Amino acid sequence: FPIDEVPELAIYYYSFLTLYEAEKDDHYFKLRGLLDRFGILMPQKEAIELYDSALHYCIGKLNKGNKIFLQEYFDLFEDGLNKRIFIVNEELATWRFNNAVGVALQLGKLEWAEIFIESYKKYLSADTQQNTYTFNLARVYRYQNNFDKVLSLLRDVEYEDIGYNLISKAILIITYYELDELDALDPFMESFRVFLNRHKNITNQRRRGYLNLIKYVKRLTRVTSGDKTSLEKLRQDILRDRQITVNHEWLLEKIAELE
């Protein structure tokens, strides 16, 4: 019998095929269509597993440079969110919350991200709620170029979570630069450099990414506007290291502004 006539089986069948024939995007789109129609009818635990399987497929494609799957990830997550599939015992996992904001920002959906943060804050676990809220709001303000608000949110916050801590410090570097607060920027970058070298629980690759950000921002602050030779050398160095430099896109934008 045609498996597509039995949605309960078809969903699992196409979910299986996305794993074992990952190169064939058709399987994902079949699964996506079935989740759109029948996801809300499934037991929540099973629905979460199937949505996560599809989201994982999107991440795999993104890691291979297929950018259309950024929108797919967003649409899939939003669909699951609207169906309350990801709200378990009135709680939304922190990592889901962070991922949703990150993908929305990459897509330029700044208003969506801000509304999402305000609307879903109440579903965050009580012990990390305030930190997750302020951290993500700061990310939105950074994308909105609302650097005064970033500063007021992050300047006096020290996160226990190492991921939040690193990203928020990188955002502060960008903020001090954008506000032309170079007197604050230099000592802040030095203290961040010490922090990176002191904390042994940061992986070497991650540490290098942030150290490269510091190195290139220092060089950026010392280049004269219009010095095409120095700016081109800096651009080539950043392009060479872009896989191991946090916020390399932003650095390249700043070079373009100085040319």
Side-chain angles (χ1 to χ4, degrees):
F1 63 90
I3 197 159
D4 287 12
E5 291 179 10
V6 187
E8 298 91 334
L9 287 177
I11 279 182
Y12 281 99
Y13 175 69
Y14 288 114
S15 180
F16 170 82
L17 288 180
T18 60
L19 292 173
Y20 288 92
E21 293 182 352
E23 71 285 354
K24 296 182 179 177
D25 293 350
D26 284 358
H27 300 321
Y28 164 80
F29 288 109
K30 284 267 195 182
L31 174 61
R32 174 71 208 283
L34 288 162
L35 289 173
D36 280 349
R37 291 168 60 201
F38 303 107
I40 200 164
L41 304 176
M42 304 181 70
Q44 187 178 31
K45 189 169 181 292
E46 291 176 25
I48 287 172
E49 287 173 4
L50 288 160
Y51 270 84
D52 279 347
S53 172
L55 289 167
H56 183 73
Y57 184 85
C58 292
I59 290 168
K61 289 292 179 178
L62 284 167
N63 288 341
K64 291 180 178 173
N66 192 333
K67 296 298 184 190
I68 70 159
F69 279 90
L70 194 62
Q71 185 68 51
E72 279 298 319
Y73 186 103
F74 177 84
D75 291 343
L76 193 59
F77 177 83
E78 188 176 37
D79 180 50
L81 197 64
N82 290 340
K83 290 171 179 165
R84 290 183 61 85
I85 283 164
F86 300 128
I87 308 288
V88 181
N89 299 323
E90 291 303 298
E91 198 168 293
L92 177 64
T94 300
W95 65 269
R96 287 195 196 279
F97 192 96
N98 292 337
N99 284 358
V101 174
V103 170
L105 293 177
Q106 286 182 65
L107 287 168
K109 297 177 182 290
L110 309 190
E111 188 180 3
W112 185 95
E114 195 167 2
I115 292 168
F116 168 80
I117 290 166
E118 296 295 348
S119 302
Y120 284 86
K121 174 189 178 182
K122 63 187 177 189
Y123 295 111
L124 289 166
S125 109
D127 56 337
T128 61
Q129 185 185 76
Q130 194 55 39
N131 276 357
T132 302
Y133 173 74
T134 56
F135 169 75
N136 281 289
L137 209 50
R139 292 167 83 192
V140 172
Y141 291 152
R142 174 256 188 271
Y143 271 81
Q144 290 174 341
N145 295 328
N146 199 335
F147 295 108
D148 288 324
K149 283 191 173 181
V150 172
L151 209 53
S152 67
L153 273 180
L154 292 184
R155 184 166 38 198
D156 301 317
V157 176
E158 192 73 24
Y159 292 111
E160 286 182 22
D161 180 283
I162 195 70
Y164 285 6
N165 218 327
L166 293 174
I167 295 168
S168 67
K169 287 182 190 304
I171 291 172
L172 274 170
I173 287 176
I174 290 170
T175 300
Y176 284 129
Y177 180 90
E178 294 283 4
L179 293 173
D180 203 27
E181 291 199 17
L182 301 187
D183 289 343
L185 176 60
D186 270 347
F188 179 77
M189 288 197 295
E190 180 55 27
S191 70
F192 188 20
R193 188 188 64 76
V194 171
F195 175 92
L196 287 163
N197 289 321
R198 193 176 68 231
H199 282 74
K200 302 305 176 190
N201 58 334
I202 303 169
T203 64
N204 286 334
Q205 186 176 4
R206 205 174 191 187
R207 181 181 294 108
R208 193 173 172 193
Y210 287 98
L211 287 171
N212 277 348
L213 171 65
I214 292 168
K215 176 178 75 175
Y216 288 127
V217 171
K218 277 187 178 176
R219 282 178 60 183
L220 195 59
T221 61
R222 285 154 179 75
V223 173
T224 308
S225 178
D227 182 351
K228 292 197 178 298
T229 304
S230 298
L231 288 166
E232 185 54 32
K233 174 71 169 72
L234 182 53
R235 186 207 313 282
Q236 292 307 321
D237 290 348
I238 292 168
L239 285 170
R240 184 196 65 222
D241 287 344
R242 66 184 180 277
Q243 300 300 332
I244 46 168
T245 302
V246 171
N247 293 122
H248 70 268
E249 302 99 331
W250 173 79
L251 286 163
L252 293 169
E253 284 172 19
K254 297 303 112 182
I255 289 171
E257 288 174 10
L258 288 172
E259 285 178 327

